[in-house]
Amino acid sequence: MIYQIYPRSWADSDGDGVGDLPGITSHLDHLTDLGVDAIWLSPFYPSPQLDAGYDVADYRGVDPLFGTLDDFDRLVDRAHALGLRVIVDVVPNHTSAEHPWFQDALLAEAGSRERARYLFRDGRDDGETPPNNWPSRFGGPAWTRVADGQWYLHLFDVSQPDLDWTNPEVQAEFESILRFWLDRGVDGFRVDVAHGLVKEAGLPDATDETLPMWDQPGVHEIYRGWRRLIDAYEGERILCAEAWVESGEALARYVRVDEMHHSFNFRFLTTPWRADLLRATIDDSLRQAAAVGAPQTWVLSNHDVVRHATRLGRTDATDVVDTTGIGPGDPQPDPVLGLRRARAATALMLALPGSAYLYQGEELGLPEATMLPDELRQDPTWRRSGHTDRGRDGCRIPVPWSTEGPSLGFGSGRPWLPQPPEYADLAPDRQRGAADSTLELYRRLLAQRRAHRLGTATLRWVEQPDDVIAFDLVERDITVVANLGSAPIDLPHDREVLIASTPIGARGLPPDTTVWLSPRARPAVASSHGRV
Ligand code: NOJ
């Protein structure tokens, strides 16, 4: 169970409105109380913050916005003392334009060693046309021209130049960066844009059938090297790929026995709330991971997608999950339905064999901020898409810690993004101990998952109507039933409810609810010999 912390929005210790490392350290007990095993920290490195820290200017430091390296060491020590592992983000596809290497490249000439660390090319035709037709993931072309007429590649923002991973100097630098953090005691790395590092030789145009910038075979050789590197360290350390690839088979290639340990299962995240589609996703995912001898991973929310408590409240979206941001003027999802389904989806996910990733605040049932005024948006997606894609600010809102107080306990200053009014009632001080709260549901799910070791159980499907998902966790004698239909369904009589995602009455399992069932305890019957 790995819990993602987005440092700028977790807790602000110094009142500047942005979360920081001491803020994280001071709230780690929330996570031991919740019952997770590890935290993954999104980037906290020195950065101009033009993509919220995924634009790294120095890979071996801490941005003053978030604290110091000593703060980082204290965080790791405290986490380890509490039994929590610490995974950090590494961003190898691109640096910030403020990274000294890119600054040197701008000053150097075409063909120089400095330019060879990045993907500088001459333009086409008279040089005025970009070298190829690749688009940036944030909108617009993936190429920007520099003063002497050459172009550089940036698959993301113009401030995030792509590195050339065929260059041994780049490879050596990242191995050294990994060692730097491993030597400080980190337990692993989440690898940003893991499928993007190697581009097809010659940088050919993309076509309807080919995406020469993503998932090239050469990336795997890099991760084999990284695996050898981390395996040489004592203890268990892990690598996790962020790879938005075409198929489950392609995803599984990242977790072959000599590569990474995890790769985010984004197919699960993007599967609509439909029993047939979810069953197929779960089935395929388990099979594909097993084929390479890896555990499957599960995830429903992160800092790049609409929070699942809101996403699942879109009553119109049955076939396609659209993860682009929602703003004022857009159709507003139903928050009650969204939270009900989110709790059911989480209860389903946390029963599945493998590992799961949680995103900060989902244990509080936080919805996406869908009414954030456009002028406050900070995600470059909004600007680069020509104001057509609102981007990801709505899932990055500072976390509420208390019902009262400035920024609901996040910090004493004005938070970098405003919290919507409904966050007050979702603060942990309101939910802790409240039997039906989302926080208590997560605590129960995680405790039972741990007690029954569900992460290593075997899933066997149970006969079921079309709009129901039901399976046994064979060795653990637990049955999981999720009702995605529109009418209540009967539950087996020989089983009792261990956990329900929403309280259930006597009339069966209501729609949009998941239950974990265990064998009904036999009534104690006295025999003639007085034995029980
Ligand atoms: C994926 C990260 O999760 C996202 O937040 C970031 O914008 C891109 N990679 C670029 O680094």
Side-chain angles (χ1 to χ4, degrees):
M1 293 304 317
I2 298 159
Y3 182 100
Q4 180 189 359
I5 294 182
Y6 195 64
R8 54 171 45 238
S9 298
W10 169 258
D12 170 19
S13 72
D14 60 7
D16 66 357
V18 179
D20 47 45
L21 300 184
I24 295 173
T25 308
S26 69
H27 281 290
L28 286 176
D29 51 347
H30 172 74
L31 299 178
T32 43
D33 178 64
L34 185 62
V36 301
D37 303 308
I39 54 175
W40 147 36
L41 302 173
S42 282
F44 47 76
Y45 313 112
S47 158
Q49 302 291 327
L50 295 177
D51 184 21
Y54 281 94
D55 47 329
V56 181
D58 171 6
Y59 287 85
R60 296 180 183 81
V62 173
D63 195 300
L65 194 60
F66 300 120
T68 63
L69 267 176
D70 284 344
D71 291 329
F72 179 80
D73 292 341
R74 276 190 284 273
L75 189 164
V76 173
D77 286 349
R78 178 75 187 136
H80 285 168
L82 290 170
L84 294 167
R85 308 285 185 95
V86 180
I87 294 169
V88 297
D89 227 302
V90 61
V91 187
N93 180 67
H94 45 264
T95 68
S96 158
E98 288 189 13
H99 190 285
W101 272 7
F102 193 71
Q103 291 297 312
D104 290 348
L106 289 179
L107 295 175
E109 54 194 29
S112 59
R113 174 184 170 194
E114 288 80 3
R115 290 227 169 153
R117 295 166 178 149
Y118 293 91
L119 290 157
F120 279 87
R121 294 289 183 276
D122 293 329
R124 283 203 275 215
D125 308 328
D126 53 359
E128 304 277 320
T129 314
N132 67 28
N133 68 354
W134 296 1
S136 150
R137 279 292 290 262
F138 292 161
W143 294 93
T144 290
R145 205 165 188 200
V146 298
D148 64 13
Q150 276 211 307
W151 299 75
Y152 69 90
L153 179 73
H154 52 88
L155 291 179
F156 294 87
D157 192 46
V158 57
S159 65
Q160 293 166 300
D162 280 49
L163 289 161
D164 184 348
W165 270 87
T166 63
N167 183 336
E169 203 187 345
V170 171
Q171 298 165 10
E173 172 66 356
F174 274 86
E175 296 204 347
S176 154
I177 291 165
L178 297 185
R179 287 185 201 286
F180 176 86
W181 293 104
L182 289 164
D183 290 340
R184 295 198 102 84
V186 306
D187 300 289
F189 300 93
R190 175 267 191 191
V191 182
D192 190 63
V193 197
H195 57 314
L197 275 52
V198 176
K199 283 76 180 173
E200 190 176 325
L203 311 183
D205 275 348
T207 66
D208 287 348
E209 285 83 43
T210 58
L211 292 170
M213 64 294 248
W214 303 125
D215 199 29
Q216 298 298 307
V219 293
H220 296 287
E221 204 39 56
I222 298 171
Y223 304 130
R224 286 192 192 104
W226 287 17
R227 177 64 179 261
R228 286 192 295 274
L229 188 156
I230 70 163
D231 279 354
Y233 277 76
E234 63 182 26
E236 284 179 306
R237 321 257 177 157
I238 74 157
L239 295 169
C240 173
E242 187 228 14
W244 292 84
V245 294
E246 293 288 293
S247 69
E249 282 79 14
L251 191 64
R253 286 199 281 273
Y254 288 78
V255 289
R256 286 178 291 196
V257 71
D258 56 349
E259 297 192 37
M260 302 214 197
H261 301 77
H262 286 171
S263 49
F264 291 118
N265 186 346
F266 293 126
R267 177 174 166 197
F268 182 68
L269 184 151
T270 51
T271 299
W273 188 238
R274 262 184 41 188
D276 55 341
L277 300 178
L278 275 167
R279 258 196 315 264
T281 294
I282 295 168
D283 206 42
D284 291 348
S285 301
L286 289 173
R287 203 167 18 79
Q288 286 151 351
V292 293
Q296 188 47 265
T297 70
W298 311 99
V299 61
L300 285 165
S301 279
N302 65 32
H303 66 293
D304 288 331
V305 300
V306 173
R307 283 181 173 278
H308 68 289
T310 298
R311 212 170 64 221
L312 297 176
R314 279 181 169 162
T315 42
D316 54 341
T318 48
D319 291 328
V320 181
V321 170
D322 181 2
T323 54
T324 56
I326 302 171
D330 289 334
Q332 297 291 309
D334 175 343
V336 175
L337 179 70
L339 181 57
R340 183 181 180 93
R341 286 183 173 170
R343 290 169 60 127
T346 300
L348 175 68
M349 173 175 87
L350 293 181
L352 295 172
S355 294
Y357 282 78
L358 303 177
Y359 176 50
Q360 68 181 36
E362 66 167 90
E363 77 282 16
L364 306 176
L366 293 189
E368 183 87 357
T370 59
M371 296 300 284
L372 189 67
D374 288 340
E375 60 276 16
L376 297 184
R377 292 189 188 280
Q378 312 229 358
D379 182 354
T381 308
W382 175 232
R383 186 177 26 85
R384 284 195 62 86
S385 69
H387 299 161
T388 54
D389 180 345
R390 285 208 157 77
R392 303 160 294 178
D393 295 304
C395 63
R396 300 175 173 182
I397 305 291
V399 165
W401 290 98
S402 56
T403 314
E404 309 283 340
S407 66
L408 306 174
F410 169 70
S412 56
R414 203 163 80 150
W416 70 283
L417 287 174
Q419 296 155 310
E422 60 271 26
Y423 274 29
D425 279 343
L426 296 170
D429 65 341
R430 176 66 58 89
Q431 298 199 43
R432 199 167 292 120
D436 297 335
S437 71
T438 305
L439 178 58
E440 291 301 332
L441 172 67
Y442 270 72
R443 290 184 66 216
R444 279 198 301 278
L445 290 167
L446 290 170
Q448 291 293 337
R449 178 182 168 88
R450 184 186 296 267
H452 294 280
R453 294 175 295 117
L454 299 189
T456 54
T458 310
L459 179 148
R460 186 178 59 207
W461 295 107
V462 173
E463 243 350 90
Q464 56 220 280
D466 282 351
D467 44 15
V468 172
I469 298 176
F471 52 84
D472 287 329
L473 295 162
V474 182
E475 311 86 339
R476 317 292 192 251
D477 211 356
I478 286 182
T479 301
V480 176
V481 186
N483 182 3
L484 284 76
S486 52
I489 56 167
D490 291 335
L491 289 172
H493 294 298
D494 59 343
R495 310 233 120 200
E496 65 186 6
V497 174
L498 193 59
I499 306 187
S501 63
T502 303
I504 65 174
R507 295 189 28 242
L509 183 65
D512 297 321
T513 310
T514 299
V515 280
W516 295 9
L517 306 171
S518 57
R520 196 173 282 286
R522 291 226 180 79
V525 179
S527 78
S528 54
H529 302 289
R531 282 179 55 216
V532 173

